[in-house]
Structure formats: structure tokens, C-alpha cells
Amino acid sequence: MEVTRQRVDDLRVRQLRAQQMLKGDLTDADLEEFVQERLIFTKFETAQNWARKNCLFPLGFGLACCAIEMITVIGSPRNDLARFGAEAIRFTPRQADLLILSGRVSIKMAPIIRRLYDQMLEPKWVISMGACASSAGMFNNYSLVAGADKFLPIDVYVPGCPPRPEALIYGIMKLQDKIMGTPDEGWRERYKAHGTEERSEGAGVA
Amino acid sequence: MTEFDPVGVPYRERERSVTMERMGEEPVSGTEAPVEGDRHDELLTINFGPHHPATHGVLRLLTTLEGEVVRDVKPIIGYVHTGIEKSCEDQQYWKVITFVERMDYLAYYFNAMAYCMAVEKLLDIEVPPRAQYLRVAHMELNRIASHLFGLATGALDLGAITMLWWGCRDRDLVLDLFEMSSGQRIHPRYFQVGGVIEDIPPGWEAKVREFLKIMPERLDQYLNLLDRNEIWLQRLKGTGLITQERALELGVTGPLLRATGHPWDLRKAMPYSSYEHFDFDVPIGLHGDNYDRFKVRIEEMRESVKIVEQALDGLPEGPWITDNRKVALPPRHELATSMEALIHHFKLVTEGFRVPPGEAYVAVESPRGELGCFVVADGSAKPARVHVRDPSFVNLQSLPDMAKDSLIADFIACIAMLDPILGGVDR
Amino acid sequence: MPDATGLELIAQRVRDRLGGEAVRDTVFFRGEATLEVAPEAVRATLAFLRDEDAEPWESLMSVHGCDYLPDEPRFGVHYQLLSMERTDRLNVKTRVGIEDPSLPTVVDMFPTAEYQEREIYDMFGVVFDGHPDPRRILMPEDYEGFPQRRDFPMGGEPVLYTFNEDSYPRWYD
């Protein structure tokens, strides 16, 4: 609505006004103005997504060298994940909603990861951290599953061997954009190149 | 494989035996610890891992418990098996360095060092002294980082979570130094066959000395936090005992063997890469319990600080990689003027250097024990066999001995102080 | 390392104790001593070197295997011995062929060999008679094949470029 009256920014005045509100002393016009200044209108999904993205619970799961960088992200005071609300690591998949797949996925481990993923409750997201979890990395041989997206739907791929902690945090921020419903489309957004994604028929959404 | 049925029970059958439904039934033979009398309905075989907060990586432990007491432990490994040794047979010698670095992923310089030393032995080339000192400096810094991380996660397992923040904070300082010298924090491919890939940048020495000044105070801080903590002492003292004879029988090396009182350290016993020029002590423990392992690691960090200081003080001038152009890349300014340099560069980058046929086994002292690398060369540009004798793989065999008849909490402390790195165990 | 003459003396002592057929070869290469013995005599050689020799070697540091294809006999098993008193290493090596890839186990003499022999079985298929727990250790238990043999394929997936990505069947096909 059109606001023609002056915005009262003085802290003391605001405090007194809040005090009056609590006592029930504000009259109609003042009360309306008070409430309007503090009201946000949004869709339910947006609010829900905002709550979800700012409070991710990662599953404490690390496989190989990328796990060291992941623990550095979670545990080091320099790059720490608590700024993003994701510091509460849950070691049981029932209470976690973010699976950071950090490290090489061997054929012996793959069914176990799938079981962990199945035990997580909706909504859940997966970040594939590092080159070995996204593709086979540098190990293109008999004992690795070439990319965890063969058996898991992955939301964000973070490349690197191992990715720097800042890169993992960037990946988590991209995931937060995706949760919010406004996924970061990168260069397609910058160059207005929507419609150039490659899709082949039969590409199932796992 | 199917005709060779080892224990008489196929794997799926054995796996089913540890589910809840079979609790009241007869145990599948071959899966449980031998029992006396009719006590076996008090024994419970459960699975620790492969996904568990108290394991250092994906280690699966089939534990047989009687109440809260651990009667038997069978580690099952192989969940991070990456086939690195097989992949190495397909790569040129200098590319193998990146593969071998990723085995024991906390002590990456040591893996590369063992491999480079083995190939240098096969090629019979000399490493210049400046490269030797730089290698020693980087390896000792890596030892500090590895012990810090081991203590950080070990303390996290035992509940002293502050140590995780502090350990990671100091480890970040060390990784900054690595990033300054080689460009990458972890797995930097800094050691090459014949020396190191690049000289240290100006300012690196000053930064290292700054770090070395604060490190002993930080160690005292950790001891202040942990060493006088009643809970920490009670959890670690007297738990996880292993005798020296048993440790030697099992091939255990490194801080675990030194904690039992045996002063075997390859840096002193069979010095390599000019370790004999440095003056440092080898800390040993008295009893062989978890507390001794913890103290040995802290003191080793102190000694490493001394070694790095001496290495920097005595850093000789000179080339940082061997002059043998058939093995090491020529410096770039020569490529514009010398035809041979261009040809060498081309051959080295496309085909790689050839190694005359032979076999070599070289061992270094990594933070976990004796890390050996066995290289078989057949005259071509790719190795015929690279095998790494990983210390964690052999040290893991001592876990059943350490954990026998101990409570679960002490068992967790054993794993924490054993410090296995599953990348090295599984390769 | 025992030098070349020391190695010859050790080989002579082993021959005296176990018969002339036991020792096949001695190699002294770049300061490393290797004693090649016949597969039947490996256990006796290690027992002799540990217990009765004038210079005993009490620690087994590593047991590792190697596939020497196309060189027959194919599989080599190396026992890396260490003497902490004299800070010395000796490598004892045997070769077995593929028709009978079996060796007696040394776990009762050197308990450290337990996991390492399992790994050699897993990767090469060399069977160790008398091993207390002869299962696969690194690969899944029902895996078929022995990965580190030279004729086992590397596996993995072909790298997709634009020229072959359409012809390569995807997992959802």
C-alpha cells in the first residue's frame, strides 16, 4: 500500500511503540501501521522451503578422502557449516535429510548407500561431492560404480579431487537455491539460453 | 569361486545369521565365537558399521557381545576398495604418483615418497639434497596434520568434541602451507621421481616458521584440555592393552608398536632421504594401552616440529629435482634454445620414462607405521605391479586382540587410538 | 641389506639345511637381496630363517603377490623379512603356476600374514592351504574372478565423447 507517512526509524520511538502494543494501548491506525510493518505475505511453499533450506541436517557419512574435506567443512572454525544452519549432523538416516556422498563408491558399498538413502525420510537431497562420486573420478576400473547417479538421484554435483571446502559450501548454497524453488541455472540464465538442455527419450527420472 | 566354498557357508547365509529373526535359533556355524557350555544364548553378534559414527571410514566390525563386553571382533573391510593397484599398471610412472597418493588419504606425502623412492631405486638416480630436505619438511608437516586429524576424530569418538574444532583449526594452518607450496591442500602431487616438482615459493619459509612457533603452545593447550581430564584418563588408561610380543608377531608398526615400548622407527633405524642429518627423539610408551598411544602421538608432533625447524635452518641450495633429463622434465627456459630438451620434454610427457626391469621394495615411516611400496618394472613406461604395504591394513589385525573382553566403550577407544585409514586398508 | 656375498652365504646355509632343490635363485639388485625358493620349501625356509639361522630374521613385514604373465610360472609371492636387531631386509620369493596355485600358509609362524594372504587369494587366486579364514577380503564375497591378474580386464566404463555417446547404451535403456 502507499505509504505517505514518515517511517519512524528512531530506535527509542520503536521501543516505546512496541511497549504500547504489548500493553494494548495502540489505537486503530497506529495498530494497523504497526502490524503492516511486520507482516510478510508469501506462499506456504516458499516459507516451507525457506525453513527447509536453512536447517539442513546432513547425514554423517564419509567414504574416502573427500570425507576429510567434508569434516573440515563441518568441523573447522574457518569454513564452517553452522553459518548455514547445517551443523546438526545426524548419524541416523531416519533423522537426516541431506546425504553428502563424499568419496569413492565401490561395488561393495553401493547397496549399503542405497539402503541408507531409502531409510531417509522425504524430503531428502543428495550432494555428490568429489569426482569419484559424480563419475568414476580417476579410477575407471572394475571395483567402482562410475558415479553414484547410477543408483541414487543426485541434486548437486560438486567437482574436485577433493573439492575445496569453499567449493562444497558453494555446492550447498546451490542446493539451497534448488530447495527454494529457484534453481541456479548458471550460464543458461546469464546468456538466456533456456531450452538447450539435452534430454533423450527414455531418460527416466530416478 | 563357487567351487571353493571356504567355511562351508555361503555369504548370504552368513549375513542372515546376524539379523534379529534368527536370535533364538541355532547360530550358523562358523559365524560366532567359540563358546563353552551353553552360554551361547547370551552372546549377541551384531554389526558395527559400515556406516557408524564411531568408525574411521567404512569399517564393518562383526562384534560378538556378551552384555556390554566384547568377546570377539571380526573386521570386514573392502568397502572402499578402489582397485588402485590394478589401475596403476595402466598408467605411466609419473601418473601413478597421483593414484598412489590417494591410498592412505591422510598421509599422502608418505605414499608418494615410498613410491618415488622405489622408482628412484629402480632407476638408480640420486635425489639432490635440497629436494631431500624439502621432502623431509613436507613429510613432517604432513605427520603433524595426520596426527592432529587422528586425535581430532578420536576425541570426537570419545566425546571430547572441542578437540575436533581445535585439531581442524590447526590442520587448516598446515594445509595452507601445502597450498602455498604446491597449489593443493590435499593430494598435491608434489613429490616426483627424482625430487620435488617445484621449488618452494618465497615467503613459504617465513610462514612455516610462524606456524612452528605456535605449534608447541597449541600442543600444550591440547594436553591441558585432555591430559588432566579425569574422564579422558579413565577411558584411555589401561584399555586396549597389547603386549609387545604380540604386536611384533602381528606386524604392527608405528605409534602402536612404540607405545608398547619398542623403539622401532624407520627414520632412525634405516634412515632415508637425509633423516640422519636431523636430531630428534623417538617417543615410546610404557604399557601399550590407549593412553600411551595418545601421548606418543602428541610427542611425535613435538619432534616433527623440531625436525621441520632443522630442515629449514639447513636447507641447502641447489636443484630441486634430478638433472637426469630422461626422468625429470627440463626447465622451461631451456625448451626455447635446446633441441634435446624439447625432445626430452616431448618423450616424457607423451610416453613417460622407461624403467629397466627389476623389482624394488622401499619402506618409509608414515604416521601409522611402516608404509612399503613394491614396484616391479618390466622395461616399459608403465609399471608391471605396484603394491603398497599399508600400515593400517596390518595394524587392523591387532584389533581383536586389543578389544577382547573389554567393554564397548573401551572398544571404541581402541578403534579411535588405532587410527585406521580405510583408504589404505582397502586400497 | 645383506650384501651380495652375505646373500650367497644365506643361500648356501638354506641349501645345506633343506637340500639343494630348495633354493632356485639369488638376486642382488640395487642393494636388495632376494632369495628365490621352490614353493614346497617356502615354509621350511621361513622357519629356518626365523629360528635356526645364525642371523635370524624374526619379523615378516609384508607378503605380497605379483603376476608375471607371460613369464611362467605365473604367480610370484614375496615374503619381505626384516631383522630389527641388524636393521636388515631380505626378500624370499616363490613362483607358482596357474595349474596348481597353492602354497602352504605361514600364519601359524607369522600371524601378520593372515590378512595379507587373504588379499593375495582375493586378488590373484593363490590358495593358501591351512589358512584359518580363507575368504575374500577386499572384493564382495560372491565376486567371481581374481581382479589383479594380468589377463583380468580393467573394467570400468568407456569415456563418452560426442562421437560415441549416442551409441553407448545407458543404464536406463
Side-chain angles (χ1 to χ4, degrees), chain A residues 83-105:
Chain A
R83 298 177 269 183
F84 301 97
E87 65 173 348
I89 311 181
R90 295 281 171 248
F91 286 95
T92 154
R94 303 274 181 207
Q95 295 171 1
D97 54 13
L98 173 64
L99 174 65
I100 303 185
L101 207 59
S102 54
R104 23 202 207 238
V105 181

PDB file of all heavy atoms in Angstrom, chain A residues 83-105:
ATOM      1  N   ARG A  83      27.140 -21.716   9.798  1.00  0.00           N
ATOM      2  CA  ARG A  83      26.587 -20.464   9.285  1.00  0.00           C
ATOM      3  C   ARG A  83      25.340 -20.695   8.464  1.00  0.00           C
ATOM      4  O   ARG A  83      24.504 -19.824   8.331  1.00  0.00           O
ATOM      5  CB  ARG A  83      27.592 -19.802   8.351  1.00  0.00           C
ATOM      6  CG  ARG A  83      28.867 -19.422   8.992  1.00  0.00           C
ATOM      7  CD  ARG A  83      29.753 -18.854   7.944  1.00  0.00           C
ATOM      8  NE  ARG A  83      30.569 -19.876   7.356  1.00  0.00           N
ATOM      9  CZ  ARG A  83      31.484 -19.615   6.448  1.00  0.00           C
ATOM     10  NH1 ARG A  83      31.675 -18.389   6.035  1.00  0.00           N
ATOM     11  NH2 ARG A  83      32.187 -20.579   5.947  1.00  0.00           N
ATOM     12  N   PHE A  84      25.254 -21.890   7.867  1.00  0.00           N
ATOM     13  CA  PHE A  84      24.121 -22.166   7.006  1.00  0.00           C
ATOM     14  C   PHE A  84      23.082 -22.993   7.715  1.00  0.00           C
ATOM     15  O   PHE A  84      22.156 -23.474   7.107  1.00  0.00           O
ATOM     16  CB  PHE A  84      24.600 -22.912   5.759  1.00  0.00           C
ATOM     17  CG  PHE A  84      25.610 -22.149   4.997  1.00  0.00           C
ATOM     18  CD1 PHE A  84      26.945 -22.383   5.163  1.00  0.00           C
ATOM     19  CD2 PHE A  84      25.216 -21.165   4.125  1.00  0.00           C
ATOM     20  CE1 PHE A  84      27.881 -21.658   4.477  1.00  0.00           C
ATOM     21  CE2 PHE A  84      26.139 -20.431   3.426  1.00  0.00           C
ATOM     22  CZ  PHE A  84      27.479 -20.680   3.607  1.00  0.00           C
ATOM     23  N   GLY A  85      23.268 -23.163   8.982  1.00  0.00           N
ATOM     24  CA  GLY A  85      22.273 -23.900   9.744  1.00  0.00           C
ATOM     25  C   GLY A  85      22.411 -25.393   9.650  1.00  0.00           C
ATOM     26  O   GLY A  85      21.560 -26.121  10.131  1.00  0.00           O
ATOM     27  N   ALA A  86      23.480 -25.874   9.028  1.00  0.00           N
ATOM     28  CA  ALA A  86      23.549 -27.309   8.763  1.00  0.00           C
ATOM     29  C   ALA A  86      24.525 -28.015   9.674  1.00  0.00           C
ATOM     30  O   ALA A  86      25.089 -29.023   9.315  1.00  0.00           O
ATOM     31  CB  ALA A  86      23.963 -27.522   7.302  1.00  0.00           C
ATOM     32  N   GLU A  87      24.740 -27.480  10.852  1.00  0.00           N
ATOM     33  CA  GLU A  87      25.763 -28.073  11.690  1.00  0.00           C
ATOM     34  C   GLU A  87      25.283 -29.279  12.456  1.00  0.00           C
ATOM     35  O   GLU A  87      26.072 -30.029  12.995  1.00  0.00           O
ATOM     36  CB  GLU A  87      26.263 -27.053  12.689  1.00  0.00           C
ATOM     37  CG  GLU A  87      25.193 -26.669  13.648  1.00  0.00           C
ATOM     38  CD  GLU A  87      25.718 -25.793  14.757  1.00  0.00           C
ATOM     39  OE1 GLU A  87      26.927 -25.686  14.899  1.00  0.00           O
ATOM     40  OE2 GLU A  87      24.884 -25.228  15.461  1.00  0.00           O
ATOM     41  N   ALA A  88      23.979 -29.480  12.534  1.00  0.00           N
ATOM     42  CA  ALA A  88      23.484 -30.596  13.347  1.00  0.00           C
ATOM     43  C   ALA A  88      23.577 -31.853  12.517  1.00  0.00           C
ATOM     44  O   ALA A  88      22.684 -32.164  11.737  1.00  0.00           O
ATOM     45  CB  ALA A  88      22.041 -30.320  13.758  1.00  0.00           C
ATOM     46  N   ILE A  89      24.655 -32.580  12.679  1.00  0.00           N
ATOM     47  CA  ILE A  89      24.807 -33.798  11.910  1.00  0.00           C
ATOM     48  C   ILE A  89      24.093 -34.900  12.634  1.00  0.00           C
ATOM     49  O   ILE A  89      24.306 -35.105  13.822  1.00  0.00           O
ATOM     50  CB  ILE A  89      26.276 -34.175  11.785  1.00  0.00           C
ATOM     51  CG1 ILE A  89      27.060 -32.978  11.355  1.00  0.00           C
ATOM     52  CG2 ILE A  89      26.456 -35.288  10.815  1.00  0.00           C
ATOM     53  CD1 ILE A  89      28.464 -33.291  11.190  1.00  0.00           C
ATOM     54  N   ARG A  90      23.290 -35.604  11.931  1.00  0.00           N
ATOM     55  CA  ARG A  90      22.583 -36.729  12.493  1.00  0.00           C
ATOM     56  C   ARG A  90      23.203 -37.987  11.929  1.00  0.00           C
ATOM     57  O   ARG A  90      23.400 -38.095  10.736  1.00  0.00           O
ATOM     58  CB  ARG A  90      21.106 -36.688  12.100  1.00  0.00           C
ATOM     59  CG  ARG A  90      20.404 -35.523  12.680  1.00  0.00           C
ATOM     60  CD  ARG A  90      20.084 -35.804  14.123  1.00  0.00           C
ATOM     61  NE  ARG A  90      19.594 -34.631  14.794  1.00  0.00           N
ATOM     62  CZ  ARG A  90      20.270 -34.005  15.757  1.00  0.00           C
ATOM     63  NH1 ARG A  90      21.448 -34.409  16.111  1.00  0.00           N
ATOM     64  NH2 ARG A  90      19.734 -32.964  16.354  1.00  0.00           N
ATOM     65  N   PHE A  91      23.534 -38.916  12.790  1.00  0.00           N
ATOM     66  CA  PHE A  91      24.173 -40.113  12.271  1.00  0.00           C
ATOM     67  C   PHE A  91      23.175 -41.191  11.910  1.00  0.00           C
ATOM     68  O   PHE A  91      23.546 -42.203  11.336  1.00  0.00           O
ATOM     69  CB  PHE A  91      25.180 -40.648  13.284  1.00  0.00           C
ATOM     70  CG  PHE A  91      26.409 -39.798  13.321  1.00  0.00           C
ATOM     71  CD1 PHE A  91      26.553 -38.786  14.235  1.00  0.00           C
ATOM     72  CD2 PHE A  91      27.412 -40.011  12.399  1.00  0.00           C
ATOM     73  CE1 PHE A  91      27.679 -38.004  14.244  1.00  0.00           C
ATOM     74  CE2 PHE A  91      28.543 -39.233  12.408  1.00  0.00           C
ATOM     75  CZ  PHE A  91      28.677 -38.226  13.330  1.00  0.00           C
ATOM     76  N   THR A  92      21.934 -40.999  12.243  1.00  0.00           N
ATOM     77  CA  THR A  92      20.959 -41.990  11.817  1.00  0.00           C
ATOM     78  C   THR A  92      20.200 -41.447  10.619  1.00  0.00           C
ATOM     79  O   THR A  92      19.768 -40.302  10.613  1.00  0.00           O
ATOM     80  CB  THR A  92      19.999 -42.349  12.955  1.00  0.00           C
ATOM     81  OG1 THR A  92      18.785 -42.799  12.396  1.00  0.00           O
ATOM     82  CG2 THR A  92      19.723 -41.161  13.816  1.00  0.00           C
ATOM     83  N   PRO A  93      20.048 -42.256   9.579  1.00  0.00           N
ATOM     84  CA  PRO A  93      19.391 -41.724   8.386  1.00  0.00           C
ATOM     85  C   PRO A  93      17.950 -41.354   8.612  1.00  0.00           C
ATOM     86  O   PRO A  93      17.378 -40.591   7.842  1.00  0.00           O
ATOM     87  CB  PRO A  93      19.519 -42.855   7.371  1.00  0.00           C
ATOM     88  CG  PRO A  93      19.815 -44.064   8.158  1.00  0.00           C
ATOM     89  CD  PRO A  93      20.517 -43.628   9.370  1.00  0.00           C
ATOM     90  N   ARG A  94      17.356 -41.851   9.669  1.00  0.00           N
ATOM     91  CA  ARG A  94      15.948 -41.530   9.892  1.00  0.00           C
ATOM     92  C   ARG A  94      15.755 -40.066  10.228  1.00  0.00           C
ATOM     93  O   ARG A  94      14.670 -39.539  10.113  1.00  0.00           O
ATOM     94  CB  ARG A  94      15.397 -42.364  11.048  1.00  0.00           C
ATOM     95  CG  ARG A  94      15.528 -43.831  10.860  1.00  0.00           C
ATOM     96  CD  ARG A  94      14.383 -44.374  10.085  1.00  0.00           C
ATOM     97  NE  ARG A  94      14.506 -45.807   9.936  1.00  0.00           N
ATOM     98  CZ  ARG A  94      13.986 -46.467   8.933  1.00  0.00           C
ATOM     99  NH1 ARG A  94      13.324 -45.819   8.001  1.00  0.00           N
ATOM    100  NH2 ARG A  94      14.119 -47.756   8.866  1.00  0.00           N
ATOM    101  N   GLN A  95      16.807 -39.430  10.716  1.00  0.00           N
ATOM    102  CA  GLN A  95      16.626 -38.050  11.156  1.00  0.00           C
ATOM    103  C   GLN A  95      17.374 -37.073  10.279  1.00  0.00           C
ATOM    104  O   GLN A  95      17.439 -35.904  10.593  1.00  0.00           O
ATOM    105  CB  GLN A  95      17.123 -37.904  12.589  1.00  0.00           C
ATOM    106  CG  GLN A  95      16.314 -38.691  13.564  1.00  0.00           C
ATOM    107  CD  GLN A  95      16.960 -38.700  14.907  1.00  0.00           C
ATOM    108  OE1 GLN A  95      18.005 -38.094  15.107  1.00  0.00           O
ATOM    109  NE2 GLN A  95      16.360 -39.402  15.836  1.00  0.00           N
ATOM    110  N   ALA A  96      17.962 -37.550   9.216  1.00  0.00           N
ATOM    111  CA  ALA A  96      18.775 -36.670   8.389  1.00  0.00           C
ATOM    112  C   ALA A  96      18.039 -36.397   7.096  1.00  0.00           C
ATOM    113  O   ALA A  96      17.214 -37.196   6.661  1.00  0.00           O
ATOM    114  CB  ALA A  96      20.120 -37.314   8.094  1.00  0.00           C
ATOM    115  N   ASP A  97      18.348 -35.251   6.468  1.00  0.00           N
ATOM    116  CA  ASP A  97      17.731 -35.057   5.167  1.00  0.00           C
ATOM    117  C   ASP A  97      18.715 -34.723   4.067  1.00  0.00           C
ATOM    118  O   ASP A  97      18.317 -34.593   2.927  1.00  0.00           O
ATOM    119  CB  ASP A  97      16.615 -34.014   5.215  1.00  0.00           C
ATOM    120  CG  ASP A  97      17.061 -32.711   5.800  1.00  0.00           C
ATOM    121  OD1 ASP A  97      18.271 -32.484   5.953  1.00  0.00           O
ATOM    122  OD2 ASP A  97      16.184 -31.901   6.114  1.00  0.00           O
ATOM    123  N   LEU A  98      19.983 -34.638   4.367  1.00  0.00           N
ATOM    124  CA  LEU A  98      20.944 -34.351   3.322  1.00  0.00           C
ATOM    125  C   LEU A  98      22.029 -35.407   3.367  1.00  0.00           C
ATOM    126  O   LEU A  98      22.663 -35.609   4.393  1.00  0.00           O
ATOM    127  CB  LEU A  98      21.558 -32.960   3.554  1.00  0.00           C
ATOM    128  CG  LEU A  98      22.701 -32.549   2.646  1.00  0.00           C
ATOM    129  CD1 LEU A  98      22.210 -32.465   1.235  1.00  0.00           C
ATOM    130  CD2 LEU A  98      23.220 -31.203   3.091  1.00  0.00           C
ATOM    131  N   LEU A  99      22.220 -36.096   2.282  1.00  0.00           N
ATOM    132  CA  LEU A  99      23.263 -37.108   2.207  1.00  0.00           C
ATOM    133  C   LEU A  99      24.388 -36.547   1.364  1.00  0.00           C
ATOM    134  O   LEU A  99      24.206 -36.297   0.175  1.00  0.00           O
ATOM    135  CB  LEU A  99      22.699 -38.379   1.573  1.00  0.00           C
ATOM    136  CG  LEU A  99      23.656 -39.523   1.282  1.00  0.00           C
ATOM    137  CD1 LEU A  99      24.208 -40.071   2.545  1.00  0.00           C
ATOM    138  CD2 LEU A  99      22.934 -40.602   0.523  1.00  0.00           C
ATOM    139  N   ILE A 100      25.515 -36.271   2.002  1.00  0.00           N
ATOM    140  CA  ILE A 100      26.659 -35.781   1.239  1.00  0.00           C
ATOM    141  C   ILE A 100      27.528 -36.981   0.945  1.00  0.00           C
ATOM    142  O   ILE A 100      28.201 -37.512   1.822  1.00  0.00           O
ATOM    143  CB  ILE A 100      27.449 -34.721   2.036  1.00  0.00           C
ATOM    144  CG1 ILE A 100      26.551 -33.577   2.443  1.00  0.00           C
ATOM    145  CG2 ILE A 100      28.577 -34.194   1.185  1.00  0.00           C
ATOM    146  CD1 ILE A 100      27.295 -32.459   3.109  1.00  0.00           C
ATOM    147  N   LEU A 101      27.495 -37.411  -0.291  1.00  0.00           N
ATOM    148  CA  LEU A 101      28.211 -38.614  -0.673  1.00  0.00           C
ATOM    149  C   LEU A 101      29.649 -38.225  -0.966  1.00  0.00           C
ATOM    150  O   LEU A 101      29.955 -37.742  -2.036  1.00  0.00           O
ATOM    151  CB  LEU A 101      27.548 -39.166  -1.922  1.00  0.00           C
ATOM    152  CG  LEU A 101      27.657 -40.633  -2.161  1.00  0.00           C
ATOM    153  CD1 LEU A 101      27.071 -41.347  -1.016  1.00  0.00           C
ATOM    154  CD2 LEU A 101      26.890 -40.956  -3.398  1.00  0.00           C
ATOM    155  N   SER A 102      30.518 -38.414   0.008  1.00  0.00           N
ATOM    156  CA  SER A 102      31.868 -37.906  -0.148  1.00  0.00           C
ATOM    157  C   SER A 102      32.805 -39.080  -0.264  1.00  0.00           C
ATOM    158  O   SER A 102      33.095 -39.754   0.706  1.00  0.00           O
ATOM    159  CB  SER A 102      32.250 -37.064   1.051  1.00  0.00           C
ATOM    160  OG  SER A 102      32.066 -37.803   2.226  1.00  0.00           O
ATOM    161  N   GLY A 103      33.285 -39.339  -1.464  1.00  0.00           N
ATOM    162  CA  GLY A 103      34.266 -40.382  -1.611  1.00  0.00           C
ATOM    163  C   GLY A 103      33.873 -41.373  -2.679  1.00  0.00           C
ATOM    164  O   GLY A 103      32.812 -41.306  -3.273  1.00  0.00           O
ATOM    165  N   ARG A 104      34.752 -42.340  -2.907  1.00  0.00           N
ATOM    166  CA  ARG A 104      34.552 -43.273  -3.994  1.00  0.00           C
ATOM    167  C   ARG A 104      33.557 -44.358  -3.595  1.00  0.00           C
ATOM    168  O   ARG A 104      33.614 -44.889  -2.501  1.00  0.00           O
ATOM    169  CB  ARG A 104      35.879 -43.892  -4.402  1.00  0.00           C
ATOM    170  CG  ARG A 104      36.896 -43.850  -3.306  1.00  0.00           C
ATOM    171  CD  ARG A 104      38.275 -43.947  -3.840  1.00  0.00           C
ATOM    172  NE  ARG A 104      39.126 -44.527  -2.831  1.00  0.00           N
ATOM    173  CZ  ARG A 104      40.204 -43.939  -2.330  1.00  0.00           C
ATOM    174  NH1 ARG A 104      40.578 -42.786  -2.791  1.00  0.00           N
ATOM    175  NH2 ARG A 104      40.910 -44.529  -1.398  1.00  0.00           N
ATOM    176  N   VAL A 105      32.672 -44.654  -4.502  1.00  0.00           N
ATOM    177  CA  VAL A 105      31.601 -45.619  -4.247  1.00  0.00           C
ATOM    178  C   VAL A 105      32.022 -46.942  -4.856  1.00  0.00           C
ATOM    179  O   VAL A 105      32.031 -47.100  -6.066  1.00  0.00           O
ATOM    180  CB  VAL A 105      30.293 -45.134  -4.890  1.00  0.00           C
ATOM    181  CG1 VAL A 105      29.198 -46.106  -4.605  1.00  0.00           C
ATOM    182  CG2 VAL A 105      29.922 -43.783  -4.362  1.00  0.00           C
TER     183      VAL A 105
END
